Amino acid sequence: MAESLPPLTLAALLQALANPSFTAYAYIGGEKDRGWSIAKAAEKMIPNVRVYRIAPSEASAARSEFGASPSIVGIVFGFGLDVTDKLNAKAAEDALRVFNAIWDSDN
């Protein structure tokens, strides 16, 4: 199930990302963004992936935690806390790029 910050906290997100049973994709942006729609589609189409939306109001703390510059809106995680890819807005709006980044995160 797709979750968002808030109400989820950054600490709760870190705990969820540490679960080695799932890869994850965190999208930084608005609820109506095309990139968020693609993230939710990825969760439905790719096994063992969870998606999280980080609201713009929470972006600064998340960017700091994951070493993501302001141009990054998508962060891909392998099984655990390891960041395997970072996507800019154009890449996050490209479904194939997002799906491939998530798929490749378990290698």
Side-chain angles (χ1 to χ4, degrees), residues 14-29:
L14 290 169
Q15 186 176 18
L17 292 173
N19 184 338
S21 299
F22 298 93
T23 60
Y25 179 66
Y27 176 79
I28 301 170

Side-chain angles (χ1 to χ4, degrees), residues 45-93:
M45 299 176 84
I46 302 171
N48 296 332
V49 66
R50 289 184 173 169
V51 298
Y52 302 92
R53 186 183 65 85
I54 300 169
S57 61
E58 304 295 318
S60 181
R63 288 182 196 285
S64 179
E65 180 68 35
F66 304 120
S69 69
S71 66
I72 298 300
V73 299
I75 304 169
V76 182
F77 299 87
F79 290 97
L81 290 168
D82 293 334
V83 173
T84 61
D85 205 349
K86 297 175 186 174
L87 307 175
N88 62 24
K90 185 176 179 181
E93 291 178 357

Side-chain angles (χ1 to χ4, degrees), residues 1-49:
M1 178 170 107
E3 296 185 83
S4 292
L5 280 73
L8 194 66
T9 64
L10 183 57
L13 174 62
L14 290 169
Q15 186 176 18
L17 292 173
N19 184 338
S21 299
F22 298 93
T23 60
Y25 179 66
Y27 176 79
I28 301 170
E31 190 172 0
K32 296 183 188 247
D33 292 358
R34 176 173 160 77
W36 178 234
S37 295
I38 289 170
K40 292 186 292 183
E43 184 177 55
K44 292 175 183 175
M45 299 176 84
I46 302 171
N48 296 332
V49 66

